[in-house]
Structure formats: structure tokens, C-alpha cells
């Protein structure tokens, strides 16, 4: 599904693809922990995330919570 979208994705596009709330994606973009933070660029009031950066992030964080159940990767994101 990512291939049908442009190179730079919006928060709403990512939330639709991942089937999560937009606020979850925004929380990852501003997360205090750099290891958890989703890389993106804020332009005015809107965020843009490179499609390849999203793919890299998803691969790097795949099952991170399952590998460390005592320290969930998305801790603090609502």
C-alpha cells in the first residue's frame, strides 16, 4: 500500500496504512526517546515522513515490544 502513495507521507496517510490513530503517529514523531522517535520533518503545522524512512523505522522496531516486554517500545505514546 505504501507504493501507491508519494515519497513524502502525511500523518493521516501513515495512520491509515498502519491502522492507528493520527495522535499515535504524532506521538512517535515527537517522542522524547530518540530511539523510539519516528523521523519526520515539520513544515508549518504539518508533518511529512519519507516513505523509505517509515519502512526503515518499521523494520527496526518490528516486535521491539515483544523482545523486551518489561520496556515496551512505544511507552508513553497515547
Amino acid at each position: 500500500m505504501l507504493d501507491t502513495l508519494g515519497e513524502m507521507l502525511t500523518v493521516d496517510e501513515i495512520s491509515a496504512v498502519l491502522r492507528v490513530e493520527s495522535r499515535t503517529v504524532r506521538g512517535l514523531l515527537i517522542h522524547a526517546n530518540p530511539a523510539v522517535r519516528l523521523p519526520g520533518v515539520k513544515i508549518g503545522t504539518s508533518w511529512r515522513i519519507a516513505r523509505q524512512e517509515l519502512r526503515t523505522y518499521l523494520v527496526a522496531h518490528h516486535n521491539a515490544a515483544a523482545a523486551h516486554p518489561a520496556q515496551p517500545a512505544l511507552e508513553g505514546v497515547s
Side-chain angles (χ1 to χ4, degrees), residues 20-38:
V20 298
E21 301 265 342
S22 295
R23 67 183 178 169
T24 301
V25 176
R26 282 188 200 91
L28 291 171
L29 286 162
I30 63 170
H31 201 283
N33 183 347
V36 176
R37 193 176 306 136
L38 175 63

Side-chain angles (χ1 to χ4, degrees), residues 5-77:
L5 302 172
E7 288 299 316
M8 296 298 285
L9 308 173
T10 66
V11 168
D12 290 338
E13 289 171 329
I14 291 174
S15 65
V17 168
L18 298 180
R19 296 183 183 152
V20 298
E21 301 265 342
S22 295
R23 67 183 178 169
T24 301
V25 176
R26 282 188 200 91
L28 291 171
L29 286 162
I30 63 170
H31 201 283
N33 183 347
V36 176
R37 193 176 306 136
L38 175 63
V41 177
K42 190 169 187 181
I43 303 170
T45 59
S46 301
W47 284 94
R48 295 291 185 268
I49 301 90
R51 184 174 52 188
Q52 188 56 45
E53 290 286 340
L54 177 61
R55 283 188 171 129
T56 301
Y57 180 86
L58 292 173
V59 168
H61 291 85
H62 177 71
N63 287 334
H68 305 287
Q71 299 175 356
L74 302 180
E75 184 178 327
V77 175

